[in-house]
Amino acid sequence: MKKAVLLILLLIACASAIYAQYDEKQILTQQANQLLMQRQYVQAEQLFLRILDKYPNDTNSINQLMNIYFTLSQTDKAEATLTKYQRTLPPQTYSELLIQLLIMQAKVEEAWQETMRYLNIYGQDEYKYRRLASFFERKAFYDKVIELYTRARNQLGKPDLFRLEMANTAMNYHQFEKAIREFMAYTENNPVYMFYTNNQLKTILQEDATLISVVSAIADSSNSSVLKEIYANALLNLQDYKTALNIYKQLEPQKMWRFAEEQTAAGNDSIAFEAYSYLETGETDMVKKMDLRYRLAEIKYQQRDYPATEQIIMESLSLPFWKDRNLYYRSSVGVKLRKLMAEIKLAKNEPVDSALVWLNEAKKFSRNNLESQEMDLEIARLYILNGDKTKAQNLLKTINHNNLMEKRDYLNFLNTLLEGETALADTLMNEFIIRYPESQYANDAIYLMMFTLNMAEQDKKSFYSAIRLLQLNRQSGIDTLAVIFSHNQDEEVLLLAIEWAIAFGNDSKAKELLQYDFQDEVAADYAALLRLLMVSDKAEEQRLAREFLKNKPNSIFSPDFRQKISRWSASRPNL
C-alpha cells in the first residue's frame, strides 16, 4: 500500500514539473509574439533565444528568429541560426528557410538550384509554387517568379494556373504584352475582376499606348463579350470614343446603356448622343424608347441646339404612344418632355407665357400628387420671375407635399425679396436657414440677402431685375450686373456676372470681365480660379495652376488648383 502511494506521488510530481515547464514555455512564447506584433524585434529576439536555451528543439522559436533576421536583413545571424539548428528542423522547413536566406544574400542561382531540389520532392503541391514565388517576389526577382509559375502549369498540367499572379508579376517586370494576355485570360473566366483588369490595363497603356493592338487582337479573336468590353474600356482610357462605341454596339444593350450614361456624366455629349440613338433605334419597348428620346433631347438642350431639341420633342409628342394612358403612365417622361419644352421657350427668349403653357401641359401628364405639385412649383417660379407676385403667392399656398416644403419656402422668400420687401425677406431667410440648415438653397438665400443689404437703394431694383433676367435665360442680366458694379465697385457683383457669363457659355464676355484687376484678396484668388476654368489647353492650365500655388500655397482655393480642375460644368447658379 505504501509503495502504491509513493508511486502516485512520484507521478504527480513528474506531471507537475512537465506542466510547469510547458506553462513557462507558453508564457515566454506569448510574450515574444506580443513583442513581434509591436515590432520590438530586438526584445523579441532575446526572448526566443531564451526559449531555445531551455528548449533547443522548439521549431517555432527557430522559425520566428529567422523571420526577425529576414525582416531586419541580418543575414549573418540568419545563416548562423540555420546552420546551428539544421538537424532540428524538418527537411522541408530547412529547405524553405535556406532558399529565403540565399535570396536575401543575392545568391540567386544557388537559391534557384535549391528551389529545384525542393520541387523535385514537393512539386505536386501548387501551394509550394506560390510560396516559393513569394520568396523571389519580395526581392523583385520577377524572372524567377514567372519561371516558377510557368513550371507549375507544365508540371501540374493546369495551363490556367496562377493567371492573376502571373499577370501582376509580368506587369511589375515590364513584360506588358504578357501581362495583358494573362489579365484578359483570367478576367474572361472571372468577370468580377473586370474593374481591376481595366485599371491595370489603363496603367499599362499609359506606359505604352501602342499595346492597344494586343488588346484588340485578343478581343477580335474571341466571341467573349467580357474580352470585348475590356477592349472597349481600354479604348476609353485612350479617349478613342468612336471605336469604343462601335465595340459597345456588339455587346448587350445594358452595357451600351451604362456606356451612354458614363459619357453623359463625363460631358462627352456627342458620343452619348450616338449611343442613345443606337439604343433608341433598336428598342421595341415604347416606354424605354420614349425615355431614350428624352435623353437625346436633353443632350441637344445642353449643347444649346434648341431647334434640334424642339424637333426631337415635337416628333416624340406626335407618336401614338400618348393615346394610351396606361402606357405613358408607366413613366414620368410625359412630364419631363413638356417641362423641357418650357425651358426651350425661355432659352429662345420667348415670352414667359409660352413656357407656362407647356408647364401646364406637363402637369396634365403627372401621375401623382408629387409630380403635379412639382409642376406647380415650376409655374410659381415663373410667376415670381415674371413679376406676378400674387399669382405666385396663391399657388405656393396650395403646396403641401412634405418633399416640396423646402423649395416652397425658398420661393416664398425669393418672391418677397424680388418685390423689394427687404425686412420681411430677411426674416423669411432667417426662418429658412433655421428650418433647413443643409438645404441646397441655403447659400443662395444668404448670398442674395448679403447683396441686398449691402446695396444702395438705387441699385436694388436693377439687381432684382438682373436676377429675374438671368433665371429666365436672358443674358442681358449680365450687363445689368456690370452696370451695378460700375456704380458700387462691389467685386462680388462682378464675380456673379462672370459666373453667369461662363454658365451661358459666353466666354468672350467672361474674359472681358475677368480683365478687371481685383483688389480684394479672396476675390482676386477666385477670379484666378475662374480664369483657370476657361483654359482649354491642358499644358497652359497646369502652368497657371502651378504658378498660382507657387505664389499662394495657402489660399482657400489652393485645393481646387491642386485637383487640376476640369472645365466649367454646364450647370448654372441657382441665384
Side-chain angles (χ1 to χ4, degrees):
M1 183 67 180
K2 289 182 180 179
K3 288 183 179 180
V5 171
L6 287 172
L7 182 60
I8 291 170
L9 290 173
L10 183 61
L11 289 172
I12 291 172
C14 290
S16 298
I18 292 170
Y19 178 78
Q21 285 184 340
Y22 173 75
D23 191 51
E24 180 190 30
K25 178 183 172 186
Q26 186 182 40
I27 291 170
L28 290 173
T29 302
Q30 286 176 349
Q31 290 174 347
N33 287 333
Q34 231 173 2
L35 290 168
L36 269 183
M37 290 176 63
Q38 296 167 358
R39 298 186 178 182
Q40 296 184 34
Y41 298 119
V42 175
Q43 295 89 329
E45 176 193 8
Q46 295 307 312
L47 270 182
F48 283 124
L49 287 171
R50 183 176 163 189
I51 294 169
L52 286 171
D53 281 343
K54 290 193 173 185
Y55 313 101
N57 294 325
D58 183 32
T59 56
N60 174 66
S61 294
I62 299 169
N63 273 305
Q64 295 291 29
L65 271 179
M66 293 295 291
N67 288 332
I68 290 172
Y69 298 145
F70 290 150
T71 301
L72 300 177
S73 298
Q74 294 177 343
T75 54
D76 290 343
K77 284 187 176 182
E79 186 172 4
T81 301
L82 192 60
T83 302
K84 180 178 180 180
Y85 293 103
Q86 178 177 356
R87 296 183 181 281
T88 305
L89 291 166
Q92 180 179 328
T93 304
Y94 172 78
S95 185
E96 290 177 2
L97 291 171
L98 178 59
I99 293 168
Q100 291 181 76
L101 175 61
L102 291 169
I103 293 170
M104 290 285 294
Q105 293 173 327
K107 299 176 180 178
V108 183
E109 290 310 316
E110 290 182 44
W112 188 250
Q113 291 171 15
E114 183 62 30
T115 298
M116 293 300 100
R117 283 193 289 271
Y118 179 94
L119 289 175
N120 286 335
I121 302 171
Y122 308 108
Q124 294 307 307
D125 182 353
E126 68 179 60
Y127 168 77
K128 303 300 183 189
Y129 291 92
R130 180 181 279 111
R131 180 162 173 76
L132 293 174
S134 71
F135 300 159
F136 286 96
E137 190 169 27
R138 284 174 203 159
K139 291 299 178 180
F141 293 118
Y142 298 122
D143 55 333
K144 298 302 183 185
V145 177
I146 291 172
E147 196 171 340
L148 269 172
Y149 288 144
T150 303
R151 181 184 176 90
R153 289 177 180 178
N154 296 334
Q155 189 73 22
L156 302 176
K158 297 180 179 180
D160 292 327
L161 191 61
F162 300 128
R163 285 280 188 202
L164 191 58
E165 294 87 345
M166 183 81 89
N168 285 317
T169 303
M171 186 172 173
N172 289 330
Y173 199 40
H174 281 216
Q175 290 188 356
F176 292 137
E177 183 173 339
K178 183 176 186 62
I180 289 171
R181 295 186 184 281
E182 295 290 344
F183 277 127
M184 293 183 73
Y186 182 78
T187 309
E188 182 178 9
N189 296 318
N190 300 273
V192 293
Y193 279 83
M194 174 82 72
F195 182 77
Y196 179 76
T197 292
N198 288 340
N199 281 335
Q200 297 298 84
L201 293 194
K202 179 180 180 180
T203 302
I204 290 172
L205 293 171
Q206 285 173 342
E207 292 280 338
D208 185 356
T210 64
L211 289 170
I212 190 65
S213 61
V214 176
V215 183
S216 171
I218 295 170
D220 291 343
S221 64
S222 171
N223 293 322
S224 168
S225 62
V226 173
L227 295 181
K228 293 187 185 304
E229 188 174 0
I230 291 172
Y231 176 39
N233 284 317
L235 290 165
L236 291 177
N237 290 327
L238 295 177
Q239 298 184 351
D240 187 351
Y241 302 114
K242 285 280 188 182
T243 310
L245 174 63
N246 289 331
I247 299 299
Y248 272 104
K249 288 178 181 179
Q250 303 172 36
L251 304 176
E252 304 93 287
Q254 65 266 27
K255 294 187 186 298
M256 178 65 93
W257 270 92
R258 191 181 71 233
F259 169 72
E261 289 171 348
E262 288 172 353
Q263 297 314 302
T264 301
N268 295 327
D269 292 340
S270 58
I271 296 296
F273 189 86
E274 287 189 52
Y276 284 130
S277 295
Y278 176 81
L279 286 167
E280 191 272 337
T281 302
E283 186 57 68
T284 56
D285 184 307
M286 284 305 298
V287 176
K288 290 181 179 178
K289 192 178 188 74
M290 202 58 66
D291 181 61
L292 285 163
R293 293 187 69 83
Y294 169 73
R295 291 172 186 242
L296 292 170
E298 194 174 35
I299 289 172
K300 287 299 179 185
Y301 177 75
Q302 290 169 352
Q303 293 177 329
R304 297 186 176 86
D305 188 347
Y306 303 129
T309 311
E310 196 166 2
Q311 182 180 348
I312 293 171
I313 293 175
M314 295 309 294
E315 286 177 357
S316 300
L317 296 181
S318 68
L319 296 174
F321 174 83
W322 304 105
K323 295 179 181 178
D324 188 341
R325 185 185 180 91
N326 292 328
L327 193 61
Y328 68 70
Y329 260 44
R330 286 166 50 194
S331 166
S332 61
V333 70
V335 174
K336 291 193 293 186
L337 280 169
R338 290 163 176 82
K339 181 175 180 289
L340 184 57
M341 195 66 176
E343 292 173 7
I344 291 170
K345 295 300 180 183
L346 295 176
K348 292 170 66 178
N349 291 328
E350 294 186 20
V352 171
D353 286 345
S354 64
L356 287 169
V357 168
W358 281 101
L359 287 177
N360 280 300
E361 251 328 276
K363 185 178 176 180
K364 294 177 185 177
F365 285 84
S366 57
R367 299 168 299 164
N368 51 51
N369 188 43
L370 175 60
E371 286 185 356
S372 177
Q373 291 197 15
E374 282 176 338
M375 288 304 100
D376 283 337
L377 283 176
E378 288 300 314
I379 292 168
R381 189 179 76 88
L382 288 192
Y383 283 154
I384 292 168
L385 298 178
N386 204 35
D388 294 329
K389 177 187 176 183
T390 304
K391 285 184 178 179
Q393 280 180 331
N394 291 336
L395 191 52
L396 288 172
K397 287 176 183 177
T398 68
I399 304 299
N400 55 22
H401 197 288
N402 287 336
N403 292 358
L404 304 176
M405 305 304 279
E406 180 184 322
K407 186 172 183 180
R408 182 204 67 180
D409 291 349
Y410 172 72
L411 289 178
N412 269 323
F413 155 76
L414 187 64
N415 192 25
T416 304
L417 180 68
L418 296 185
E419 287 300 316
E421 300 178 41
T422 308
L424 178 56
D426 191 33
T427 300
L428 291 174
M429 185 270 290
N430 286 318
E431 291 175 353
F432 183 85
I433 300 303
I434 292 170
R435 191 173 299 141
Y436 313 106
E438 297 181 3
S439 169
Q440 61 176 313
Y441 306 110
N443 284 339
D444 294 335
I446 295 170
Y447 203 32
L448 282 168
M449 282 308 305
M450 278 173 47
F451 276 119
T452 303
L453 294 173
N454 295 327
M455 197 171 286
E457 288 297 326
Q458 65 187 30
D459 289 327
K460 284 183 181 178
K461 285 187 178 180
S462 297
F463 180 69
Y464 299 148
S465 173
I467 295 301
R468 285 192 168 104
L469 289 168
L470 293 167
Q471 285 284 345
L472 291 170
N473 290 317
R474 311 290 199 258
Q475 293 197 42
S476 57
I478 298 171
D479 295 322
T480 304
L481 290 176
V483 170
I484 295 170
F485 170 69
S486 70
H487 294 165
N488 62 15
Q489 294 297 296
D490 184 347
E491 293 179 350
E492 291 283 345
V493 174
L494 182 57
L495 287 171
L496 183 60
I498 295 167
E499 286 179 331
W500 273 101
I502 294 173
F504 277 119
N506 192 341
D507 288 357
S508 60
K509 187 68 175 179
K511 289 175 181 177
E512 175 192 331
L513 297 175
L514 279 168
Q515 290 177 1
Y516 174 78
D517 183 17
F518 288 86
Q519 300 304 304
D520 179 82
E521 184 177 359
V522 175
D525 289 355
Y526 185 51
L529 175 60
L530 294 177
R531 291 188 190 98
L532 185 71
L533 293 172
M534 299 185 66
V535 175
S536 56
D537 182 78
K538 291 297 179 185
E540 176 65 8
E541 179 187 71
Q542 290 181 11
R543 187 191 69 78
L544 289 173
R546 285 195 298 269
E547 185 177 317
F548 180 90
L549 290 170
K550 180 181 177 181
N551 296 324
K552 298 186 175 182
N554 298 319
S555 166
I556 61 171
F557 298 106
S558 291
D560 298 293
F561 283 87
R562 291 190 182 97
Q563 289 171 6
K564 299 180 182 178
I565 303 169
S566 60
R567 292 293 298 255
W568 186 264
S569 67
S571 62
R572 299 176 178 178
N574 288 321
L575 295 182

